[in-house]
Amino acid sequence: MRYRTLGGLRVSAVGLGAMPLSIEGRPDEERAVATVHAALDAGVTLLDTADSYHLPGAEPGHNERLVARALAAYGGDTSSVLVATKGGRGRPAGGDWTVNGHPRHLKSAAEASRERLGVEAIGLYQLHKPDPGVPFDESVGALRELLDAGTIRLAGVSNTDADQIRRAHEILGDRLVSVQNRYSPAVRDSEPELRLCEELGLAFLPWSPLGGLARSSLDGPSRTEGEQRFAAFHAVAAERGASPQQVGLAWLLARSPAVVPIPGASRPRTILDSAAAADLLLTEEERVRLDESAEPARAQAVSFGSPGGPEEVPAM
């Protein structure tokens, strides 16, 4: 496993997005815990969760509790593991994803997340999404108060544009350490935000990082129009004896030293496949081929994880 820097901390170059372990189609507890343990065995030290990763209207904080149980049951050393969680979104019974960026809510949500994770202070707490009904400065100000109170150690923002990132950096200074936006071979709208993260020294955590790649890593590219566009990822994978998903993650890592992708997984073999991408170094020729294949395009409705089927949904 190779490593990258996040807020002065050394984290694995590939993290684990734990969302699929708690939402619709989630595995049973045994397989979910085994997936987290497989990630840790592979050297993954960044686990991404959120208080809203649960079934609609049921068990708020399910994913945070699951991550905490998995870490407690792991037989090895977890002292270097950074658990990143988020607040500001909800999943009521209707199934829609709501947004609440009110400072009072964020502070209460952070305290609840801290208790569910069983920690003295949350390693990394992120505003899940700006609330159009609340001034952005007020939401970020709540993160500042949580930092000052010692409830959280580091702060981040998610689903934000460049102006919002600059403003958050002005308010939080070097305690703002990360930006989590959607970014993948299929969806590259956040290219300006990625470059801004490089400029400001922030980690950029792409969610749904495998968008555009086919479900199968064995049968070659799909014949559908959308997936034909990414045939180069399959070609490079075949040449290198890797999966297209590994090539996709390696491509993301090659985009910038600020990138730390967090692919989702709901089975051990998926995260083991993804983690192996950290050691897949692309040649300059391969990078050019993949760049040309992954020209910016309209956001896709669904993205897929590593071998074994869908692992991510656009619900961040």
Side-chain angles (χ1 to χ4, degrees):
M1 175 62 68
R2 290 187 294 141
Y3 295 88
R4 296 209 157 169
T5 301
L6 188 159
L9 302 176
R10 192 179 82 145
V11 298
S12 54
V14 174
L16 169 65
M19 179 176 68
L21 303 177
S22 292
I23 62 168
E24 294 86 337
R26 69 193 190 191
D28 60 29
E29 173 98 0
E30 181 179 2
R31 195 176 91 188
V33 170
T35 300
V36 176
H37 288 179
L40 299 174
D41 288 342
V44 171
T45 63
L46 175 63
L47 306 181
D48 180 78
T49 180
D51 59 1
S52 57
Y53 292 167
H54 57 82
L55 297 176
E59 305 173 279
H62 179 277
N63 199 241
E64 292 174 325
R65 291 190 184 93
L66 175 64
V67 167
R69 288 196 297 271
L71 287 171
Y74 187 63
D77 180 16
T78 61
S79 60
S80 63
V81 174
L82 175 65
V83 177
T85 192
K86 297 178 287 293
R89 302 209 73 174
R91 296 204 74 193
D96 294 334
W97 292 77
T98 59
V99 182
N100 186 346
H102 192 281
R104 183 170 57 251
H105 170 76
L106 292 173
K107 287 184 280 188
S108 174
E111 287 288 354
S113 291
R114 185 184 63 79
E115 291 181 11
R116 285 190 290 264
L117 292 170
V119 294
E120 181 179 338
I122 296 171
L124 172 59
Y125 193 72
Q126 303 157 99
L127 175 65
H128 206 151
K129 185 176 183 179
D131 184 344
V134 177
F136 184 67
D137 284 16
E138 292 185 11
S139 297
V140 178
L143 298 183
R144 182 175 57 195
E145 291 184 38
L146 289 166
L147 286 162
D148 292 342
T151 306
I152 68 176
R153 301 189 190 282
L154 299 168
V157 292
S158 182
N159 299 300
T160 45
D161 62 30
D163 288 341
Q164 290 167 329
I165 295 169
R166 289 190 184 93
R167 185 57 187 148
H169 189 256
E170 290 173 1
I171 295 170
L172 299 175
D174 61 8
R175 294 188 293 179
L176 177 73
V177 300
S178 65
V179 172
Q180 187 174 142
N181 279 9
R182 190 177 190 181
Y183 190 83
S184 69
V187 182
R188 290 177 57 185
D189 318 40
S190 283
E191 191 76 32
E193 288 72 28
L194 168 57
R195 300 309 160 195
L196 179 59
C197 285
E198 289 180 334
E199 176 187 329
L200 298 177
L202 307 176
F204 184 83
L205 316 179
W207 64 264
S208 200
L210 299 173
L213 300 182
R215 293 170 181 250
S216 174
S217 64
L218 302 176
D219 300 328
S222 167
R223 294 183 180 181
T224 66
E225 180 180 350
E227 290 174 347
Q228 281 182 342
R229 180 170 151 243
F230 303 101
F233 287 83
H234 288 264
V236 171
E239 293 163 7
R240 296 293 295 271
S243 70
Q245 288 77 18
Q246 287 176 354
V247 173
L249 293 172
W251 173 78
L252 283 169
L253 290 168
R255 296 291 299 164
S256 167
V259 169
V260 183
I262 45 173
S266 65
R267 52 180 64 82
R269 66 171 177 158
T270 304
I271 187 55
L272 291 176
D273 183 80
S274 293
D279 295 318
L280 181 61
L281 301 178
L282 301 173
T283 67
E284 182 61 27
E285 185 271 335
E286 289 169 336
R287 291 170 60 179
V288 170
R289 288 167 62 191
L290 298 176
D291 283 346
E292 292 174 350
S293 172
E295 284 301 311
R298 179 178 57 85
Q300 305 296 307
V302 179
S303 59
F304 298 97
S306 297
E311 294 288 14
E312 300 171 293
V313 296
M316 297 291 287

